Amino acid sequence: MSKPPVPDPRRTLTLRDVSEASGVSEMTVSRVLRNRGDVSEATRERVLEAARSLGYVPNKIAGALASQRVNLVGVVIPSLSNMVFPEVLTGVSEVLEDTGLQPVVGVTNYSPDREESVLYEMLSWRPSGLILAGLEHTEAAQAMLAQAGIPIVEIMDIDGSPIDSAVGISHRRAGRKMAEAIIAAGYRRIAFLGTQMPNDHRARKRLEGFEEALARVGLSLADREFYSGGSALLKGREMTEAVLKRTPDVDFLYYSNDMIGAGGLLYCLDAGLDVPGKIGLAGFNGVELLDGLPRRLATMDACRLEIGRRAAEIIAGKRPEGLVGGEVIELFPTLQPGDTIRPT
Amino acid sequence: MSKPPVPDPRRTLTLRDVSEASGVSEMTVSRVLRNRGDVSEATRERVLEAARSLGYVPNKIAGALASQRVNLVGVVIPSLSNMVFPEVLTGVSEVLEDTGLQPVVGVTNYSPDREESVLYEMLSWRPSGLILAGLEHTEAAQAMLAQAGIPIVEIMDIDGSPIDSAVGISHRRAGRKMAEAIIAAGYRRIAFLGTQMPNDHRARKRLEGFEEALARVGLSLADREFYSGGSALLKGREMTEAVLKRTPDVDFLYYSNDMIGAGGLLYCLDAGLDVPGKIGLAGFNGVELLDGLPRRLATMDACRLEIGRRAAEIIAGKRPEGLVGGEVIELFPTLQPGDTIRPT
DNA sequence: CTCAGCTATGTTACCGCTAACAGCCATTTG
DNA sequence: CAAATGGCTGTTAGCGGTAACATAGCTGAG
């Protein structure tokens, strides 16, 4: 009634302020605020009331230092602008939600050096775990991660050797499967259209697997076209036009992602081409966007949500059974033939 | 030559380890690692070498606590899955890049309560500043923010009263402008198709401004349709179909965002409707995706990149001139008529 | 009535780092 | 040559919490 509720508006509040306001020790306040240890109902109420009326917000920096526990999980991904990683994040958040752990994201823009510095920054906050996309990292980054002493989960890809655990799909196999489906459907003059980015290892591996499967039946790519930057949908149109002009007899277009594939599909439809009769198309990822297109693009989902979930479960220690880390979880994407590949 | 480089692989390294390895005090190591104060070139080299070979990563938790400085900027946004906020983030990152500040994002899913808890979590890390979307917050959240003692920038919207600073556009005005353009082009039977989400205040304000402008010339909406969840492109198709079936004589469809607008456009084209002759369409946001569509949807860009940049500049203290905070920066979106609105 | 056995609270010693200041040595200056 | 100067390094005292242990009441069994 008589005490001014805010003694000094500029100084930021500490446990001591709450402790003084409620007449108990700082330790007891700390216990109340964390629901740790026995505190009588009466003091609990009093402390909570004091904390609330002061507007006290605990200082996790101090808490983390003292307890040597940080409730953060670093999530390091190449990009936020192509729908695939946000979905991974959704999976991660879902699982972490009720574990007291909180994801913190870092973006590398597909640059290994940037990844290295983002990792350094992350590790300097001593997170409880780290989830990062891909298996390819700078040497320094690998060393840091190995030394960190926390669970590390590399996601998206399992074609390589993980530092600790890994959750993902085999992109090489995904490329192979798609090639096999295309060949089985009778297409023979096949072109690849994809990202130029030298550091998109997963797209590269898909292409490798794809070509390998072609080679196995004596085929090779009829054409290939690369791009970088710009609107994916528009790029897809442009690239498709370029390929069709240069190699008019192609009968299949394999895109490295759904977005450019969708652009290509729109181009083909605009051009009045017979899809999938004369020409077939396929992408990769299984993005939701495709559902609204005039025709459903063939694709392969990358299990993004599931990857996020599994990775988070490993970090949260919710491992299936008695596993200690260092496990590799392979997921298997399913082919969605859509309407752009001839039925066999 | 003789010392084992990694004394105890399980314990995590501290300044003391580096200090012992290089034969100087912890303080000197700290100075070297932060480039602060004078250190002779010789010791600097020695310390850096030791730190590198040990694989030392500084503990920012301890550093932040000791120095009372945290190089983090909280960015709290409603969603990551619709392209608009990632672009804001890009702007923020761009500016923060060379300030030593690092963005940390939190996602609220358009839930005020979730926003409140995300803010609490953020503030408990004592960031140097906070950027958050929207002007509407729970009472508790407002109190926290006002007490926090750090720069707060509310972004996207300026129709309301900010806690501290604000950077954004007037959505009410944006809605009005679009309505005026539509009316000027001669459309009269106008329908609105948009998000149901009760907490998307910006969409709500656009609609309010839109209806206000209609009312001013004696018009009112011929129909309205709301949705929630699901694939935006597909939803756009479905909603458009529903509206056209229910109110066959509409001659304009105003969508609350470009994604559903694009779906609607694809639907109209599929249905062979005369766009923009018999029916016009418009969206909002100016997303890159539209560039690849068969016809360019009329839209209004939301200045997302610029908003992110300006907000970050305020936090980074790069204010134009001698401003102390509490400023409101209004940006003005431009109408992009595209191909889906009759030329006047 | 006494004391083990609780429960509820307080005390002490850090967590790993940095601000502030102190000290040392080699130069420079008058 | 003493004193002032300046460059480099070390010492001390926290930052705001929490772990671990200590202690004060209170209860009920013997």
Side-chain angles (χ1 to χ4, degrees):
Chain A
M1 290 291 146
S2 52
K3 290 182 207 140
V6 181
D8 182 350
R10 65 209 145 189
R11 202 173 49 79
T12 100
L13 298 162
T14 74
L15 265 194
R16 154 156 263 107
D17 296 292
V18 182
S19 115
E20 282 170 359
S22 55
V24 297
S25 72
E26 300 175 37
M27 195 61 229
T28 300
V29 175
S30 170
R31 280 194 271 252
V32 170
L33 264 29
R34 286 176 301 145
N35 289 312
R36 203 62 56 85
D38 301 308
V39 180
S40 75
E41 197 47 40
T43 40
R44 154 170 273 103
E45 293 286 308
R46 205 141 41 87
V47 168
L48 286 177
E49 173 50 29
R52 199 173 318 122
S53 80
L54 289 174
Y56 172 71
V57 177
N59 185 331
K60 290 216 177 173
I61 306 254
L65 182 60
S67 68
Q68 304 282 51
R69 261 183 274 104
V70 182
N71 68 337
L72 298 177
V73 176
V75 183
V76 176
I77 55 182
S79 159
L80 277 176
S81 47
N82 59 9
M83 295 295 193
V84 10
F85 296 106
E87 198 164 337
V88 172
L89 279 181
T90 303
V92 171
S93 308
E94 257 181 50
V95 172
L96 256 33
E97 194 99 331
D98 36 37
T99 63
L101 259 28
Q102 228 216 328
V104 176
V105 336
V107 176
T108 68
N109 293 319
Y110 287 99
S111 151
D113 290 338
R114 188 137 182 70
E115 180 185 75
E116 184 180 316
S117 70
V118 168
L119 284 173
Y120 186 80
E121 189 77 13
M122 286 254 162
L123 288 178
S124 74
W125 288 101
R126 302 285 188 269
S128 304
L130 215 45
I131 296 175
L132 75 168
L135 294 164
E136 286 77 16
H137 319 289
T138 68
E139 215 168 305
Q142 308 222 41
M144 275 196 290
L145 292 168
Q147 291 275 329
I150 55 174
I152 309 280
V153 185
E154 289 165 282
I155 58 171
M156 310 313 282
D157 187 8
I158 58 151
D159 292 329
S161 37
I163 294 169
D164 179 12
S165 301
V167 181
I169 66 172
S170 164
H171 287 263
R172 226 178 288 271
R173 174 209 293 269
R176 213 157 49 220
K177 289 280 173 212
M178 184 58 89
E180 287 163 1
I182 292 167
I183 295 164
Y187 297 101
R188 288 296 176 272
R189 296 283 295 161
I190 303 166
F192 174 82
L193 300 86
T195 167
Q196 178 64 275
M197 278 179 281
N199 291 307
D200 188 344
H201 299 282
R202 293 177 287 286
R204 193 200 74 223
K205 290 172 185 175
R206 285 199 296 280
L207 177 55
E208 285 170 9
F210 192 82
E211 292 197 82
E212 188 188 311
L214 291 188
R216 208 171 287 167
V217 296
L219 288 175
S220 65
L221 287 176
D223 196 357
R224 55 181 79 206
E225 175 86 9
F226 297 95
Y227 84 109
S228 59
S231 159
L233 212 50
L234 184 56
K235 278 290 174 199
R237 293 184 98 94
E238 294 170 358
M239 293 166 74
T240 304
E241 181 172 15
V243 167
L244 291 177
K245 203 155 277 178
R246 188 168 55 221
T247 318
D249 66 334
V250 289
D251 63 2
F252 203 95
L253 303 168
Y254 179 45
Y255 297 88
S256 77
N257 67 63
D258 284 343
M259 209 59 178
I260 56 173
L265 175 57
L266 289 174
Y267 176 84
C268 290
L269 295 178
D270 278 6
L273 298 177
D274 170 17
V275 177
K278 291 288 279 182
I279 191 162
L281 297 89
F284 182 83
N285 263 340
V287 301
E288 197 188 37
L289 173 93
L290 300 184
D291 293 342
L293 257 31
R295 208 159 305 183
R296 283 193 353 264
L297 182 69
T299 190
M300 218 165 199
D301 85 304
C303 310
R304 305 184 293 286
L305 203 67
E306 186 66 9
I307 286 177
R309 286 208 195 99
R310 296 299 202 87
E313 281 166 3
I314 291 179
I315 299 291
K318 291 183 187 166
R319 302 214 187 73
E321 244 334 289
L323 287 172
V324 195
E327 67 238 66
V328 173
I329 299 180
E330 175 169 8
L331 301 178
F332 299 92
T334 57
L335 177 71
Q336 295 161 359
D339 315 312
T340 62
I341 189 165
R342 270 197 297 267
T344 322
Chain B
M1 296 290 146
S2 51
K3 291 180 207 141
V6 181
D8 182 350
R10 63 210 147 190
R11 203 174 49 77
T12 100
L13 298 163
T14 74
L15 265 194
R16 152 154 265 109
D17 296 291
V18 182
S19 115
E20 283 170 0
S22 55
V24 298
S25 72
E26 299 175 37
M27 195 60 228
T28 300
V29 176
S30 169
R31 280 195 272 251
V32 170
L33 264 29
R34 286 176 301 146
N35 289 311
R36 202 62 57 86
D38 302 309
V39 180
S40 75
E41 196 49 40
T43 37
R44 154 169 273 102
E45 293 285 309
R46 205 140 41 88
V47 168
L48 285 177
E49 174 50 28
R52 200 174 316 121
S53 80
L54 289 173
Y56 173 71
V57 177
N59 185 333
K60 290 215 176 173
I61 305 253
L65 183 61
S67 68
Q68 304 282 47
R69 261 184 276 105
V70 182
N71 69 337
L72 298 177
V73 176
V75 183
V76 177
I77 55 183
S79 160
L80 277 176
S81 46
N82 59 9
M83 294 295 192
V84 10
F85 296 105
E87 198 165 335
V88 173
L89 279 181
T90 303
V92 171
S93 308
E94 257 181 50
V95 172
L96 256 33
E97 195 98 331
D98 38 36
T99 62
L101 258 28
Q102 228 216 328
V104 176
V105 336
V107 176
T108 69
N109 293 318
Y110 287 98
S111 151
D113 290 338
R114 187 136 182 71
E115 180 186 75
E116 184 180 317
S117 70
V118 168
L119 284 174
Y120 187 79
E121 189 77 14
M122 288 253 161
L123 288 178
S124 73
W125 287 101
R126 301 286 188 270
S128 304
L130 215 44
I131 296 175
L132 75 168
L135 295 164
E136 286 77 17
H137 319 288
T138 67
E139 215 169 305
Q142 307 222 43
M144 275 196 291
L145 293 169
Q147 291 275 327
I150 56 174
I152 309 281
V153 185
E154 290 164 282
I155 58 171
M156 310 311 284
D157 186 8
I158 58 151
D159 292 328
S161 36
I163 293 170
D164 180 12
S165 301
V167 180
I169 66 171
S170 164
H171 287 264
R172 228 178 287 272
R173 174 209 293 269
R176 213 157 49 220
K177 289 280 175 214
M178 183 58 89
E180 287 163 3
I182 291 167
I183 294 165
Y187 298 101
R188 289 296 176 273
R189 297 282 295 158
I190 303 166
F192 174 83
L193 300 86
T195 167
Q196 177 65 277
M197 278 180 281
N199 292 307
D200 188 344
H201 299 282
R202 292 176 287 286
R204 193 200 76 222
K205 290 173 185 174
R206 285 198 298 279
L207 177 54
E208 285 170 9
F210 191 80
E211 291 196 83
E212 189 189 312
L214 291 188
R216 208 172 287 169
V217 296
L219 287 176
S220 64
L221 287 176
D223 196 358
R224 54 182 78 204
E225 175 85 9
F226 297 95
Y227 83 110
S228 58
S231 157
L233 212 50
L234 184 57
K235 278 290 175 201
R237 295 183 97 93
E238 296 171 355
M239 293 165 74
T240 304
E241 181 172 15
V243 167
L244 291 177
K245 202 155 280 177
R246 189 168 54 221
T247 320
D249 65 333
V250 290
D251 63 1
F252 203 94
L253 303 170
Y254 179 46
Y255 296 87
S256 77
N257 67 62
D258 283 345
M259 208 59 178
I260 57 172
L265 175 58
L266 289 174
Y267 176 84
C268 290
L269 295 177
D270 279 5
L273 298 176
D274 169 16
V275 177
K278 289 288 278 183
I279 191 162
L281 297 88
F284 181 84
N285 264 340
V287 301
E288 196 188 38
L289 173 93
L290 301 184
D291 293 340
L293 257 31
R295 206 157 307 182
R296 280 191 357 263
L297 182 69
T299 191
M300 216 165 200
D301 84 306
C303 310
R304 306 184 293 286
L305 203 66
E306 187 65 10
I307 286 176
R309 284 208 196 100
R310 296 299 202 88
E313 281 167 3
I314 290 179
I315 298 291
K318 289 182 188 165
R319 303 215 187 72
E321 243 336 289
L323 287 170
V324 195
E327 68 239 66
V328 174
I329 299 181
E330 176 169 5
L331 301 178
F332 298 93
T334 57
L335 177 71
Q336 294 160 357
D339 315 313
T340 62
I341 189 166
R342 271 197 296 267
T344 321

